[in-house]
Amino acid sequence: MMRDVALVGADIHDGDMLHRGRALLRRQGQVIIVDPADLPAACLRRDLGGGTLLPGFVDLQVNGGGGVMFNDDPSVAALRIIATAHATTGTRALLPTLITDTPARTRAAIAAVVQAVEEGVPGILGLHLEGPHLSVARKGAHDAALIRPMEPADLAMLCEAAGRLPNLLLTLAPESVTPDQIARLTRAGAIVSLGHTGADYDAARAGFDAGARCVTHIFNAMEPLLSRAPGLIGAALEDGRVSAGLIADGIHVHPATIRAALRAKRGPGAVFLVTDAMATLASDIDGFTLNGRWITRAAGRLTLKDDTLAGADLDMARALRVLVQDVGEDIEAAIRRATRYPALVLRDAMSHGALTGGDIIHLDKDLHLSDAAGDLWTAW
């Protein structure tokens, strides 16, 4: 019989609310928040001495990790390496992300994630396809030669993939897809996100009305918000149906801009954190290749030769620190953006983003991860 174990001495965030002065008890496989005075006398207790317990992070935009890029190796073996690397940084659930690539590479990525889910690879929630149906004008680090409009064969393949995967997130630009295609993808079960686009306000609204419910790394690779041209940013911030991913590394988006966005974005849709992590996460490599182009890692930035940002050298705990320490957001709200809010975007979060899943991490008082790769219930 599994013995009762309690974690005490830390605040507890359940993915939604912060609880102070409580204990986390694991009893018969269930995880519950209790008053320390009500703990069973015979249970094992571990005093964490401060900090915060919370669900493992949920990241919907992960390009690589552990020295591996998913684009370079769309295989189950690569997915295991990437997921393991992210687990050591506190991210326990993720969407491996394929950046714009060839049709053959896209099919290989779909097949690899389907197999990984069937095999129960820990942390793999589905797939994020970021391209190739984007805007060349707002390509960022994507290869312009591989960007193209969506054709009927693409639509059929993606609808079929949405039926096979627990979650299929698609980053699309209104310039390369029609509202009807967005609607058909949504009906098939895909989660459509608008991004890498020069779309104006009306085009963005048309995409949302067709079923798009997300925006990919808001403020980056899209038209800026202007007084007479609010664009995708303005449309997303005012629409309660729509959630928006944010790269909070202090490089992609200025803290003052983040503050303004968090104050503006109200309603059921929310701003959530993504890392946009590349192969550099949980590794000491100083660069890597993307579609045959070298990406340099230096001073917390990942850049192409022309200094274009190419993903982020970021883990989720550091993104939290930026939100709390630089942006000034309350820790309770900030943790929701790394756990509960991304889980709500998904069709099936597989119990992640909340304590009910039992996958718990611990942050110290400065929001650094402790026991990164360990099991809090058994590490004594």
Side-chain angles (χ1 to χ4, degrees), residues 202-278:
D202 291 335
R205 291 286 303 179
F208 298 153
D209 289 341
R213 289 294 178 266
C214 196
V215 171
T216 297
H217 46 51
I218 193 166
F219 296 109
N220 296 114
M222 59 189 65
E223 294 294 307
L225 189 157
L226 301 174
S227 59
R228 292 181 295 278
L232 174 58
I233 296 170
L237 292 179
E238 73 170 3
D239 196 322
R241 300 172 295 177
V242 177
S243 298
L246 172 75
I247 306 171
D249 60 355
I251 296 170
H252 280 76
V253 187
H254 192 282
T257 304
I258 297 175
R259 267 193 299 276
L262 299 186
R263 289 170 181 161
K265 186 70 177 149
R266 305 295 183 187
V271 176
F272 62 92
L273 294 174
V274 296
T275 63
D276 202 15
M278 296 293 204

Side-chain angles (χ1 to χ4, degrees), residues 46-271:
R46 181 180 182 193
D47 192 332
L48 297 172
T52 306
L53 289 162
L54 63 150
F57 300 130
V58 180
D59 194 346
L60 306 189
Q61 192 163 0
V62 168
N63 310 293
V68 173
M69 283 292 288
F70 191 43
N71 276 70
D72 286 343
D73 184 7
S75 69
V76 175
L79 290 172
R80 289 185 185 277
I81 293 170
I82 292 168
T84 298
H86 281 264
T88 68
T89 69
T91 293
R92 302 300 169 84
L94 59 87
L95 290 183
T97 301
L98 188 81
I99 299 165
T100 296
D101 215 311
T102 64
R105 191 60 58 94
T106 300
R107 288 191 294 271
I110 293 169
V113 175
V114 168
Q115 183 179 346
V117 171
E118 290 175 347
E119 294 181 5
V121 176
I124 301 298
L125 293 175
L127 174 64
H128 180 176
L129 293 176
E130 189 184 358
H133 312 300
L134 308 176
S135 164
V136 172
R138 286 291 177 177
K139 62 182 175 57
H142 292 241
D143 188 342
L146 297 173
I147 292 173
R148 57 191 176 80
M150 183 176 290
E151 301 292 342
D154 301 312
L155 179 63
M157 177 185 68
L158 295 174
C159 286
E160 193 266 345
R164 298 175 65 198
L165 290 163
N167 298 286
L168 177 62
L169 177 62
L170 302 171
T171 296
L172 307 171
E175 297 94 320
S176 290
V177 298
T178 66
D180 179 66
Q181 288 172 325
I182 291 175
R184 291 177 64 182
L185 287 164
T186 301
R187 288 195 298 271
I191 305 157
V192 176
S193 183
L194 303 185
H196 284 277
T197 175
D200 62 15
Y201 176 84
D202 291 335
R205 291 286 303 179
F208 298 153
D209 289 341
R213 289 294 178 266
C214 196
V215 171
T216 297
H217 46 51
I218 193 166
F219 296 109
N220 296 114
M222 59 189 65
E223 294 294 307
L225 189 157
L226 301 174
S227 59
R228 292 181 295 278
L232 174 58
I233 296 170
L237 292 179
E238 73 170 3
D239 196 322
R241 300 172 295 177
V242 177
S243 298
L246 172 75
I247 306 171
D249 60 355
I251 296 170
H252 280 76
V253 187
H254 192 282
T257 304
I258 297 175
R259 267 193 299 276
L262 299 186
R263 289 170 181 161
K265 186 70 177 149
R266 305 295 183 187
V271 176

Side-chain angles (χ1 to χ4, degrees), residues 274-362:
V274 296
T275 63
D276 202 15
M278 296 293 204
T280 49
L281 182 129
S283 81
D284 58 3
I285 61 174
D286 59 9
F288 58 96
T289 57
L290 175 64
N291 297 132
R293 299 162 297 161
W294 182 251
I295 308 295
T296 298
R297 179 190 205 180
R301 295 165 60 95
L302 302 177
T303 55
L304 290 166
K305 187 177 181 180
D306 64 2
D307 208 38
T308 297
L309 288 172
D313 192 10
L314 178 68
D315 63 66
M316 197 66 84
R318 185 159 76 85
L320 266 184
R321 293 195 295 275
V322 168
L323 275 194
V324 174
Q325 298 167 7
D326 299 340
V327 175
E329 183 163 53
D330 179 82
I331 187 174
E332 182 175 53
I335 289 175
R336 281 196 293 267
R337 301 188 192 282
T339 56
R340 174 80 170 152
Y341 288 166
L344 288 174
V345 172
L346 298 171
R347 185 169 68 174
D348 181 3
M350 304 180 192
S351 297
H352 291 283
L355 290 183
T356 53
D359 192 359
I360 313 301
I361 62 173
H362 179 233

